Amino acid sequence: MDDKSQGAVRVPELSDGDIATMLAALAGGSLRVERVQLSDRIVWIKRYRGSGLRLGARLQGLVAALTRQPILRSSPLLTPEQAIDREVRQIAAFSRAGFLTPTIFYRSKTALILSHLGRPISKQMGMLAAADSDAHDELLVRCALELGHLHAAGLCHGRPHPRDFILDDGRFGFLDFEEEPAAVMPLAVAQARDVWLLFLQIASRCLKPETPQRAYAAWKTVAPAEAETALRQVMPLFAGFLPLARFLLRLRRGHDLVRFIAATDFLASATASRPQTQ
């Protein structure tokens, strides 16, 4: 059966009963992401729904056009079937590059059924926050390192976040490929965007003050020079919004503002000095 028609079961070891359970959950559920227990494994149903262009995306597009800054461009609005095509394409690209990704058990025009890779790093961090601050922050450093490896392979994630990263028995994996910034901006700029987005989490969630610098150094040791150059070039743009962000924070404290200030402050400082020439 053609993958793009109704769907395709791609893992022959699944029993007929497990296949029936998956398809029944697919037909009867409505959650955006749904966990399904089979006889010997967990799978996830991920549903895609069409939506109009949100106000935030419209404003982002307007600012990108006015400033002529590619990094501010938003990913194109896609139909559910196009969004599935994108996710399948990204999973295949990451897998070819040797990264751990979900197996696609089934696809239709509006949903995917994916294998379970393990506990997300965000959940592991939650368990460690009060018990082991060193191990907690080591996970953040590992996220930055693996993002660097991803960039070195000529890829970008688009929406890097500890909830979309998996560490299971030492193997690092990636989930949720719902953004494709390299489709609307140069790859190096998309990779710089990845770094900034990840540091929204690292700089605000770390428990030790030295962790952001360690994480940045880990990324930089393996990332391509073009990505570092692009990051250095775009950080003044984000840093220019810091005074406004700090003013708004005095009016109303919000997690997004705290994350923006922490990440932008750190990265603006870390990228301010020019690299030494040999």
Side-chain angles (χ1 to χ4, degrees), residues 11 61 73 78 97 100 109 142 158-160 177 201 221 231 263:
V11 182
R73 296 172 187 160
L78 303 178
L100 182 64
K109 293 183 178 180
R142 181 70 183 272
R159 200 181 65 177
F177 309 99
Q201 299 301 314
T221 57
L231 183 64

Side-chain angles (χ1 to χ4, degrees), residues 77-91:
L77 185 65
L78 303 178
T79 66
E81 192 168 10
Q82 289 171 330
I84 289 174
D85 285 341
R86 177 177 61 193
E87 184 129 1
V88 170
R89 184 173 65 251
Q90 292 287 78
I91 288 174

Side-chain angles (χ1 to χ4, degrees), residues 144 194-204 212 215-216 263 266-267:
D194 264 1
V195 176
W196 182 72
L197 288 174
L198 181 60
F199 271 81
L200 291 176
Q201 299 301 314
I202 291 174
S204 62
Y216 183 68
F266 169 75
L267 288 174

Side-chain angles (χ1 to χ4, degrees), residues 143-151 157 160 165 174 194-195 198 219:
C143 287
L145 175 65
E146 297 297 339
L147 187 66
H149 285 305
L150 189 70
H151 292 166
H157 186 276
F165 295 163
F174 297 92
D194 264 1
V195 176
L198 181 60
W219 173 80

Side-chain angles (χ1 to χ4, degrees), residues 216-236:
Y216 183 68
W219 173 80
K220 201 165 100 166
T221 57
V222 293
E226 295 83 359
E228 184 187 357
T229 298
L231 183 64
R232 182 175 290 109
Q233 291 171 345
V234 301
M235 283 316 302

Side-chain angles (χ1 to χ4, degrees), residues 7-88:
V9 176
R10 294 173 48 189
V11 182
E13 68 268 19
L14 287 177
S15 68
D16 290 344
D18 281 343
I19 292 173
T21 298
M22 285 196 313
L23 297 183
L26 179 64
S30 60
L31 295 175
R32 173 75 169 84
V33 178
E34 181 178 355
R35 181 182 186 272
V36 179
Q37 178 68 57
L38 303 182
S39 61
D40 63 348
R41 73 191 73 194
I42 297 166
V43 298
W44 294 89
I45 297 175
K46 188 172 182 180
R47 296 178 175 88
Y48 298 75
R49 301 183 178 96
S51 61
L53 191 59
R54 296 183 299 272
L55 177 60
R58 292 178 185 273
L59 292 175
Q60 183 179 338
L62 177 61
V63 173
L66 291 174
T67 62
R68 298 184 180 180
Q69 293 287 344
I71 198 169
L72 297 178
R73 296 172 187 160
S74 58
S75 294
L77 185 65
L78 303 178
T79 66
E81 192 168 10
Q82 289 171 330
I84 289 174
D85 285 341
R86 177 177 61 193
E87 184 129 1
V88 170

